DNA sequence: CCGTAACTTAACGCGCCAGTAGGTTTCTCC
DNA sequence: GGAGAAACCTACTGGCGCGTTAAGTTACGG
């Protein structure tokens, strides 16, 4: 049974070391996953986009699920490193936050596909959601710690869970704006970071000072304003 | 060809009007979708959980995709109504926000599955993400409008896109905390709402006053470019 | 220029699941 | 009490895509 294998193709196949191939496959996988979603994406398409045959994908990266996890880890690591490279722990809280946010939005602006995989895909699909949640938890803890140190530096204190929830809100706002950024290619990452600082940090600064919003009266909750 | 239909089962099946069955199926679908995700969930399981045979599901709610959309719409409608029922447009901005947030978190606390479907599932799966995005867009516009009116009431003005992004950040923080709430069954929805008010509103109040955060040494990030 | 390892194409099995065909039981209303 | 509709079932099927294998082909090292 003669199978019609391409006989006279001039196309020549570069032989590349495994590491490079793996990165190419991961690149393709991130793109395909981000466009189609985990389940809808097909391994055949990923292989094709990577310019590699399907058995290679399986040989190097394993099953579809393992491949997706590899994508997750790579993108998350890149993101974390991009931020860690830039944040200077000797600086003040607001400066740390500012530089971190700038790096964060810059990364998302430059890796929209990766962000889509991390944020939109992994969050819902249960095997991965847990892993993703653990990563976010680490970030939240870092932020909460920063807040805590800043508060203590002012000689005051905030209850742990309040800190955690505040940090969670900040992280959530950041993720949400990142999502917005991913959908607005013309938007400027730096400006987005600045806007988030405006909304979030001004509020956080109040918190650090000990100002608290109270639901009681119907008056504007403003803090140091001439009281009504 | 004899098909072995159950002949002598004593088990009798309650016959219920279509409307009730539909709700039961939707309840089951929301539960299953929220646990497994759209693709991983099987129609067989939904039917089983609903206590109904599969053809019933198809007869009443249509295909899997249509069923999911029905879930989406029902949960979203419930959520919107829960909020709209409570917000009094004659009140001030902060009170509207506060009552809206309370209703929002109360709903999420009481309908965790529904929230999971709306937020974690629909956001990633492409046919639905667009629909969901449109809903969020409406909410963002409402918030941005509230901010805008409040700012104008103070005789000032904020550029449209800044308003939009600020509103987006607030909504994102809210969604994120709702997510947190869904994972912490013991947490108190009202307290969570209060914490978000603390972080977000105090910051927003500053914004309304015209205060702008500026990075330590370098250029100012955003809003009122009166100076530069 | 030969052997070997990196690749390829081209199948295929198999499980899973959306969706359907067709029959049976209860309700309703005249 | 009977006819027609509406509620409900069991049991199949068709297809798709993961994961794998078999057999051939090209490059590279010595």
């Amino acid at each position: 049974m003669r199978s019609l294998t391409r006989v006279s193709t001039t196309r020549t196949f570069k032989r590349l070391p495994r590491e490079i191939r793996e990165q190419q496959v991961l690149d393709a996988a991130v793109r395909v996953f981000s466009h189609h979603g985990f389940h809808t994406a097909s391994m055949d398409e990923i292989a094709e986009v990577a310019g590699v045959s399907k058995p290679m994908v399986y040989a190097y990266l394993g099953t579809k699920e393992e491949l997706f996890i590899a994508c997750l880890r790579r993108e998350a690591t890149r993101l974390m490193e991009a931020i860690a490279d830039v944040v200077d722990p000797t600086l003040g809280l607001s400066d740390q936050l500012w530089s971190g946010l700038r790096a964060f939005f810059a990364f998302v602006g430059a890796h929209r596909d990766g962000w889509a995989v991390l944020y939109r895909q992994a969050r819902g699909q249960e095997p991965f959601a847990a892993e993703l949640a653990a990563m976010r938890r680490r970030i939240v803890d870092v932020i909460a710690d920063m807040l805590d140190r800043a508060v203590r530096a002012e000689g005051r204190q905030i209850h742990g869970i309040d800190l955690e929830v505040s940090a969670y809100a900040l992280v959530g706002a950041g993720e949400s704006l990142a999502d917005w950024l991913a959908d607005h290619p013309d938007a400027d990452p730096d400006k987005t970071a600045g806007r988030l600082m405006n909304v979030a940090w001004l509020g956080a600064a109040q918190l650090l000072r000990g100002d608290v919003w109270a639901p009681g009266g119907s008056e504007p909750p403003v803090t140091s304003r001439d009281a009504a």
Side-chain angles (χ1 to χ4, degrees), chain A:
Chain A
M1 280 317 173
R2 299 289 15 292
S3 55
L4 302 202
T5 53
R6 293 247 225 133
V7 177
S8 62
T9 328
T10 42
R11 189 152 140 57
T12 99
F13 295 94
K14 269 251 181 79
R15 292 163 108 90
L16 296 173
R18 172 169 182 154
E19 287 191 0
I20 293 184
R21 280 282 189 238
E22 279 182 351
Q23 293 305 314
Q24 289 176 350
V25 172
L26 285 177
D27 289 340
V30 167
R31 271 185 53 189
V32 174
F33 281 140
S34 73
H35 287 19
H36 294 60
F38 176 73
H39 285 279
T40 323
S42 84
M43 293 298 267
D44 293 81
E45 184 179 353
I46 291 173
E48 188 186 328
V49 170
V52 157
S53 68
K54 197 162 51 148
M56 278 285 99
V57 177
Y58 279 91
Y60 285 168
L61 277 310
T63 75
K64 191 181 187 182
E65 203 164 300
E66 290 164 345
L67 172 59
F68 188 87
I69 287 184
C71 292
L72 252 199
R73 287 207 220 279
R74 193 185 69 167
E75 298 303 315
T77 305
R78 283 180 174 175
L79 172 59
M80 306 273 216
E81 283 176 354
I83 296 176
D85 282 355
V86 151
V87 172
D88 177 354
T90 68
L91 263 46
L93 174 53
S94 76
D95 284 324
Q96 285 187 44
L97 210 53
W98 168 236
S99 51
L101 281 182
R102 284 188 59 186
F104 172 63
F105 285 109
F107 178 89
V108 173
H111 301 79
R112 287 158 212 268
D113 286 349
W115 177 252
V117 167
L118 280 173
Y119 184 66
R120 299 192 191 161
Q121 297 301 322
R123 193 146 194 182
Q125 316 290 342
E126 220 352 302
F128 320 115
E131 177 142 2
L132 216 258
M135 296 177 185
R136 184 181 19 246
R137 170 129 220 108
R138 293 214 306 275
I139 297 180
V140 167
D141 284 346
V142 169
I143 306 262
D145 244 43
M146 286 170 52
L147 289 176
D148 192 37
R149 278 201 303 275
V151 169
R152 287 178 196 278
E154 310 241 342
R156 295 191 322 97
Q157 196 166 342
I158 293 184
H159 195 279
I161 193 159
D162 286 325
L163 274 177
E164 184 195 331
V165 175
S166 298
Y168 214 96
L170 288 178
V171 170
E175 288 178 347
S176 211
L177 281 199
D179 211 36
W180 177 87
L181 183 66
D183 285 337
H184 294 73
D186 301 334
D188 177 21
D190 260 28
K191 260 190 178 157
T192 311
R195 287 194 254 253
L196 181 54
M197 277 305 272
N198 268 325
V199 176
W201 174 248
L202 290 180
Q206 305 295 101
L207 272 190
L208 295 184
R209 281 222 300 274
D211 296 346
V212 175
W213 176 87
S218 53
E219 290 314 313
V222 179
T223 57
S224 51
R225 218 209 172 133
D226 33 29

